[in-house]
Amino acid sequence: MDARYRTRDIERRSLDVDALKRSFLEWLVYSVGKDARAATRRDWFHTVALAVRDRVVDRWMDTTRTYYTHDVKRVYYLSLEFLIGRLLTNSLANLGIIDECRQALDRIGLSLDEVVDAEPDAALGNGGLGRLAACFLDSMASRNLPGYGYGIRYEFGLFEQRFEHGWQVEYPEQWLQFGNPWEFARPEVLYPVQFYGRVEEFRDSVGERAYRWVDSERVLAMAYDTPVVGFGGKTINTLRLWAARATRDFNFGHFNEGAYMKAVEQKILSENLSRVLYPNDATETGKELRFKQEYFFTSASLQDILRRYLQHHSDFDQLPNKAAIQLNDTHPAIGIAEMMRLLVDQHAVKWDKAWEITQGCFSYTNHTLLPEALEAWPVRLLERVLPRHMQIIYEINAKFLNRSSARAAHDNARLSHLSLIDERGDRRVRMGNLAFIGSHKVNGVSALHTELMKQTVFADFHAEFPDRIVNKTNGITPRRWLHQANRPLSDLITSRIGEGWIHDLSALDALKPKADDVVFREEFRRAKRKNKKRLAAYLARQTGVEINVDSLFDVQVKRIHEYKRQLMNILQTIALYNDMRDSPTVTWTPVTKIFAGKAAPAYHMAKLIIKLINDVGKVVNHDPSVHDNLKVVFLPNYNVTAAEIIMPAADLSEQISTAGMEASGTGNMKLALNGALTIGTLDGANVEIKDAVGDDNIFIFGLTAEEANSLRQGGAYNPRDVIGANPALKRALDMISTGVFSPDDPSRYHPILQSLIDGGDHFLVTADFEDYCTAHDDAVALYRDTEEWTRKAILNTTSMGWFSSDRTVGEYADEIWGVKPIIPDEGDHR
Ligand SMILES: *Cc1c(COP(=O)(O)O)cnc(C)c1O
């Protein structure tokens, strides 16, 4: 190789400060096209990102080549959502060059923090489900597991939330507007995806019945790859996102203007497929475009997986030993039928063999038991959009039901539960059932959730396949959620036990004795206070509300949903406000209630709850009679970047869902890891957090899942009686209903009161209210005992080792995927 190029190549990969600085200056001019005088912060972000990307590319190719050469088994994580957030700090930290980069920028007169702040937040997801997928990518790469993410490159991510007069208003999130320096477009990686048309039966070359899908419309899926940098920079995996492109079948050759414009319209319509993320969390709205998105990315991903497999193999027998395909919820569950179609129709594999291969490859993660969130697509829609898949689903169903024990027992009720088709009303395909029978393992995301899966939605399947359902309690990546987001605490931990915890979070155990060390407690508090100051400044900038850094930061940040019970929190806030006004001479512990979270745009009740919180804030924050002892702040536009500022600063973590309704939660883990004490119900992973941190270091209240269920089933529950017996609750509700918080529209909140009082209070807000208030009082009382609070906070942080997504992903790898770590071979560049 030409020596001049060689030097330049080494320069491009060098991690030292001067080389970084030279790279930045070169990239700014030759790639961004600006000089230092004219460059904006965004230009500098693009510059730094591109220079950092250079440092990743060789190792990325090494990783990919190693997987290829050794023909290793890979995991394919199919997810309609990846809630990634920013990547610059993540890449720098995982490469271990944050300080070098900071110094290099210093020498140019720039601040790394400002450059970092110019990166848009990649919000290709709604909430927990999408964030889990992002944490898994980080953990797979950091554990040197051969893992690929597959999803959609939405042009518009989750909407931007703003408040106008306290109401949520949605704006489009144009995260790609200025380009995305992390991605590599792969215009040559292109797969056709079909829709509509009809199925033709014919005789194949040996005279057997076969099918072909004809007269369909075609869209192309084009790949965009983003490198996923593992901790230590050894393994660089790939996130492959698909964008819709029109096929060249659109005939632009017409000289007829009408036909030409029609062709252009068609092109635009087909490219709409990857335009926008559906903003619903845990609800399905049954829109055709959504269904087409699901099939689009699933089909493209499976075609890509088979293409890669066929580079080394000439039949499909080894596929289950080479590809583990994980379905993140049922969104990609149509993949079961698509895999059968690809194998049987396109590759002439016999049905039974194809089914064995399919089951060997697929596994499915269930994320919710809420009936409104279980996907069930109308048979008529499938017949129209994917006619061949509908046939295949009927065939799978017939074979499955024939062999089921329910058929043998002539148990028709059980048969109808097991069926892939819901025959009640308009006939629908149950995607959960399809995912279940097409998978070798099915998992829940916390111990409680998995148990409830066995007892409720999948009870009949569990009887049929008692070994199929397993638990994989969720986790979070300690890199992003502690090492990067909370430098003060991260540095403190490292000062005592070294850096090992960053890739083995269980190392935090060794710090538990430090809870009794007065010096460590003082340092722990100092770190927390630093984070609280940062959050206070951020809130002041974003909302104009000034808060007391020494108050208890009481945090509920997550999607707004009735089952998550932000309503119960704001009712308790009103009760506390009343107590403070009633007893002005008492020395109150100052409390700041911090809320953040988006509501689905069509979820009117959730949006009304946002407005209520903002209305309560307006009254409370301006009432001099509470002497700044209480503040209510709702931070708009909750996303990963906001979470990274909030989590490290929280004192109290609100995890107060109606028991049995939150599958796991991961916000609960981020907050506890950052030293917040949890106030929560025995729901989702709260149960396991309680076991890990100990009963004395968490505030548990309220009904259990079993109690909640029997209370509702019993039919004797009357919220009116509960309210009547609780003067504080009654007073809070009366204030809302008489317009104390909405003098401009006193009846504004009647739908909320209605749902509690006459609507049966489905989420048991009134049932749990008293117990919640008591737990809250206990928390506030403890907060006055600074040393004792700090001791418990330290025990929270140090007990969270098990909740690393490294542990979760390791369990999937061993027990579901059957994949092993492999350290990439180094190319000749080192
Ligand atoms: C972690 C996270 C969530 C999930 O929070 P839960 O409290 O588990 O619902 C949602 N959104 C963002 C931005 C997150 O970082």
Side-chain angles (χ1 to χ4, degrees):
M1 193 187 274
D2 181 322
R4 222 185 64 228
Y5 283 107
R6 203 120 188 66
T7 323
R8 189 189 142 93
D9 284 354
I10 291 164
E11 167 87 1
R12 276 198 174 198
R13 288 191 291 268
S14 171
L15 302 179
D16 81 49
V17 176
D18 279 323
L20 280 168
K21 179 186 159 189
R22 284 192 299 272
S23 286
F24 294 159
L25 294 172
E26 187 179 325
W27 267 113
L28 180 69
V29 175
Y30 295 105
S31 283
V32 178
K34 289 275 184 89
D35 69 17
R37 215 186 311 241
T40 63
R41 280 202 324 184
R42 188 183 307 115
D43 295 327
W44 280 112
F45 158 67
H46 280 263
T47 299
V48 174
L50 289 170
V52 170
R53 199 179 76 166
D54 273 358
R55 269 87 185 152
V56 165
V57 170
D58 290 308
R59 282 307 284 185
W60 190 18
M61 291 178 183
D62 290 347
T63 305
T64 308
R65 192 180 337 100
T66 300
Y67 296 165
Y68 176 83
T69 317
H70 297 265
D71 189 26
V72 296
K73 182 168 187 180
R74 287 123 159 141
V75 190
Y76 298 109
Y77 198 82
L78 268 57
S79 180
L80 200 55
E81 305 191 3
F82 286 92
L83 190 51
I84 298 168
R86 291 173 171 167
L87 281 176
L88 182 52
T89 305
N90 187 250
S91 307
L92 292 172
N94 281 1
L95 289 173
I97 56 167
I98 288 201
D99 292 338
E100 288 78 358
C101 185
R102 191 182 297 282
Q103 287 172 38
L105 287 169
D106 269 351
R107 290 181 193 177
I108 308 174
L110 291 163
S111 119
L112 175 60
D113 295 344
E114 285 184 13
V115 172
V116 161
D117 254 342
E119 179 171 4
D121 183 290
L124 308 185
N126 275 283
L129 175 150
R131 184 54 233 174
L132 184 75
C135 282
F136 281 9
L137 289 180
D138 183 80
S139 284
M140 288 191 291
S142 296
R143 291 193 63 135
N144 305 300
L145 288 167
Y148 292 69
Y150 276 115
I152 294 180
R153 180 181 178 271
Y154 300 106
E155 202 172 311
F156 298 97
L158 185 60
F159 65 86
E160 181 193 340
Q161 176 196 54
R162 294 188 206 162
F163 295 145
E164 293 177 9
H165 307 290
W167 294 99
Q168 168 175 299
V169 180
E170 301 89 22
Y171 286 81
E173 176 60 88
Q174 303 193 48
W175 72 295
L176 292 172
Q177 196 174 14
F178 300 100
N180 173 5
W182 301 115
E183 70 184 8
F184 289 80
R186 308 286 192 204
E188 77 286 5
V189 182
L190 216 51
Y191 295 97
V193 179
Q194 294 170 266
F195 296 99
Y196 310 109
R198 61 194 173 82
V199 180
E200 243 174 36
E201 193 183 310
F202 67 101
R203 295 280 156 181
D204 66 14
S205 54
V206 292
E208 291 206 27
R209 205 197 305 266
Y211 300 89
R212 68 182 152 234
W213 183 5
V214 298
D215 296 342
S216 58
E217 288 178 17
R218 284 148 60 100
V219 180
L220 296 174
M222 176 182 149
Y224 284 81
D225 289 346
T226 302
V228 179
V229 182
F231 184 70
K234 279 203 166 63
T235 292
I236 317 283
N237 281 336
T238 302
L239 169 61
R240 175 160 282 185
L241 300 178
W242 302 104
R245 294 285 176 262
T247 61
R248 284 155 53 91
D249 306 350
F250 291 114
N251 197 344
F252 291 107
H254 284 291
F255 285 94
N256 167 332
E257 188 194 350
Y260 175 78
M261 287 314 291
K262 212 170 165 55
V264 174
E265 272 171 33
Q266 278 301 312
K267 174 176 160 63
I268 291 169
L269 283 180
S270 63
E271 293 185 353
N272 279 344
L273 219 42
S274 56
R275 203 73 74 196
V276 59
L277 166 74
Y278 274 86
N280 304 311
D281 189 57
T283 37
E284 285 309 323
T285 50
K287 291 286 191 295
E288 180 166 331
L289 182 62
R290 162 77 170 207
F291 179 64
K292 289 174 72 177
Q293 286 185 333
E294 295 182 350
Y295 177 63
F296 166 76
F297 101 93
T298 304
S299 174
S301 306
L302 294 186
Q303 292 182 62
D304 200 35
I305 292 166
L306 292 187
R307 177 204 46 87
R308 190 173 294 119
Y309 172 83
L310 287 172
Q311 293 177 331
H312 280 284
H313 303 269
S314 50
D315 64 38
F316 291 92
D317 293 356
Q318 290 303 310
L319 189 61
N321 297 323
K322 296 296 170 184
I325 304 172
Q326 186 69 42
L327 304 174
N328 195 23
D329 213 321
T330 56
H331 313 145
I334 191 66
I336 305 280
E338 173 70 353
M339 180 66 102
M340 289 299 287
R341 185 186 74 85
L342 292 170
L343 293 177
V344 173
D345 291 2
Q346 302 217 319
H347 296 282
V349 179
K350 292 270 179 286
W351 181 282
D352 289 344
K353 183 79 201 165
W355 183 246
E356 187 190 316
I357 293 169
T358 299
Q359 272 193 326
C361 292
F362 280 92
S363 45
Y364 153 55
T365 304
N366 172 275
H367 281 271
T368 175
L369 305 173
L370 300 180
E372 67 269 29
L374 299 176
E375 285 191 300
W377 293 103
V379 166
R380 282 198 310 192
L381 176 89
L382 254 110
E383 281 171 344
R384 194 162 49 80
V385 181
L386 302 178
R388 179 60 183 137
H389 296 76
M390 195 60 241
Q391 288 183 339
I392 290 170
I393 288 168
Y394 280 137
E395 182 87 22
I396 294 171
N397 200 34
K399 286 185 155 49
F400 165 63
L401 292 179
N402 270 333
R403 285 183 210 146
S404 70
S405 65
R407 173 60 49 82
H410 304 288
D411 184 341
N412 284 335
R414 204 139 59 79
L415 271 176
S416 75
H417 288 152
L418 289 171
S419 176
L420 297 186
I421 313 294
D422 184 347
E423 306 279 355
R424 298 166 304 177
D426 62 333
R427 303 172 67 234
R428 284 166 183 268
V429 179
R430 294 163 166 152
M431 303 309 281
N433 293 16
L434 177 61
F436 195 106
I437 70 169
S439 295
H440 61 284
K441 288 286 178 215
V442 173
N443 75 286
V445 290
S446 72
L448 174 66
H449 166 65
T450 302
E451 217 34 61
L452 293 173
M453 277 172 74
K454 293 178 183 172
Q455 291 168 18
T456 62
V457 266
F458 292 117
D460 292 309
F461 284 94
H462 182 53
E464 202 83 7
F465 307 102
D467 300 328
R468 194 164 297 181
I469 300 181
V470 294
N471 178 242
K472 293 285 160 277
T473 299
N474 282 168
I476 54 168
T477 167
R479 268 79 58 189
R480 183 175 290 264
W481 295 111
L482 180 52
H483 179 235
Q484 293 152 32
N486 192 344
R487 293 311 297 199
L489 181 55
S490 170
D491 289 346
L492 173 61
I493 292 168
T494 299
S495 75
R496 303 302 154 96
I497 58 171
E499 285 200 322
W501 63 270
I502 302 172
H503 58 87
D504 175 13
L505 198 63
S506 66
L508 290 182
D509 272 352
L511 270 179
K512 281 184 185 172
K514 292 283 178 206
D516 296 317
D517 173 341
V518 65
V519 177
F520 189 81
R521 284 204 301 266
E522 175 59 35
E523 288 183 61
F524 190 92
R525 266 198 304 277
R526 207 176 303 145
K528 179 64 80 181
R529 197 160 196 288
K530 221 169 173 173
N531 296 325
K532 289 176 77 170
K533 276 174 105 161
R534 182 166 79 128
L535 176 58
Y538 184 72
L539 291 175
R541 218 165 40 241
Q542 302 288 325
T543 69
V545 181
E546 305 274 346
I547 61 175
N548 174 358
V549 177
D550 295 312
S551 64
L552 186 159
F553 281 18
D554 176 347
V555 169
Q556 188 171 20
V557 292
K558 49 182 76 250
R559 286 299 286 255
I560 311 299
H561 204 294
E562 285 164 284
Y563 85 78
K564 292 179 184 272
R565 298 199 293 194
Q566 282 92 355
L567 178 59
M568 189 166 78
N569 186 343
I570 199 66
L571 288 172
Q572 189 274 337
T573 307
I574 295 170
L576 181 60
Y577 171 61
N578 289 333
D579 287 345
M580 287 180 175
R581 288 191 305 157
D582 292 348
S583 310
T585 56
V586 167
T587 316
W588 291 96
T589 305
V591 172
T592 303
K593 289 269 188 177
I594 297 165
F595 293 87
K598 295 173 185 177
Y603 191 171
H604 298 293
M605 187 60 86
K607 290 173 116 172
L608 194 56
I609 292 168
I610 292 177
K611 172 66 172 159
L612 174 62
I613 296 170
N614 279 323
D615 273 353
V616 170
K618 213 161 72 181
V619 171
V620 169
N621 297 345
H622 295 106
D623 187 339
S625 71
V626 294
H627 303 293
D628 287 349
N629 283 326
L630 184 61
K631 285 277 192 286
V632 179
V633 198
F634 200 134
L635 174 73
N637 202 39
Y638 184 54
N639 57 16
V640 171
T641 300
E644 287 166 5
I645 301 172
I646 296 168
M647 302 300 175
D651 293 309
L652 191 62
S653 160
E654 300 268 356
Q655 308 300 336
I656 59 177
S657 52
T658 314
M661 291 189 150
E662 188 75 87
S664 164
T666 49
N668 47 3
M669 300 170 190
K670 298 167 198 165
L671 284 155
L673 180 61
N674 281 281
L677 273 60
T678 301
I679 179 168
T681 48
L682 286 175
D683 199 15
N686 294 354
V687 178
E688 288 149 272
I689 292 176
K690 167 180 138 332
D691 290 344
V693 305
D695 294 5
D696 296 341
N697 303 309
I698 189 168
F699 302 97
I700 295 292
F701 70 90
L703 299 166
T704 62
E706 221 176 287
E707 288 165 352
N709 199 35
S710 39
L711 182 62
R712 262 193 304 246
Q713 309 259 300
Y717 174 52
N718 186 349
R720 209 181 282 276
D721 297 342
V722 181
I723 296 164
N726 186 327
L729 176 57
K730 178 157 194 339
R731 184 172 167 199
L733 292 172
D734 284 345
M735 287 165 75
I736 294 171
S737 96
T738 56
V740 169
F741 305 106
S742 56
D744 53 323
D745 181 5
S747 64
R748 176 174 298 145
Y749 296 111
H750 284 183
I752 290 179
L753 300 160
Q754 173 78 21
S755 83
L756 289 183
I757 299 164
D758 303 311
D761 184 17
H762 182 68
F763 300 95
L764 305 175
V765 169
T766 61
D768 272 343
F769 185 77
E770 186 168 340
D771 211 11
Y772 175 51
C773 289
T774 308
H776 203 276
D777 290 345
D778 292 347
V780 172
L782 182 74
Y783 191 70
R784 300 179 82 96
D785 185 345
T786 307
E787 293 297 339
E788 190 58 9
W789 181 279
T790 310
R791 199 178 66 77
K792 291 177 193 280
I794 293 168
L795 288 174
N796 268 266
T797 296
T798 54
S799 300
M800 288 300 289
W802 191 75
F803 296 90
S804 166
S805 49
D806 298 348
R807 185 269 313 158
T808 313
V809 155
E811 288 182 7
Y812 276 90
D814 293 342
E815 296 161 34
I816 298 181
W817 300 333
V819 298
K820 294 194 171 45
I822 178 167
I823 308 280
D825 313 320
E826 283 181 22
D828 58 4
H829 51 84
R830 301 224 166 176

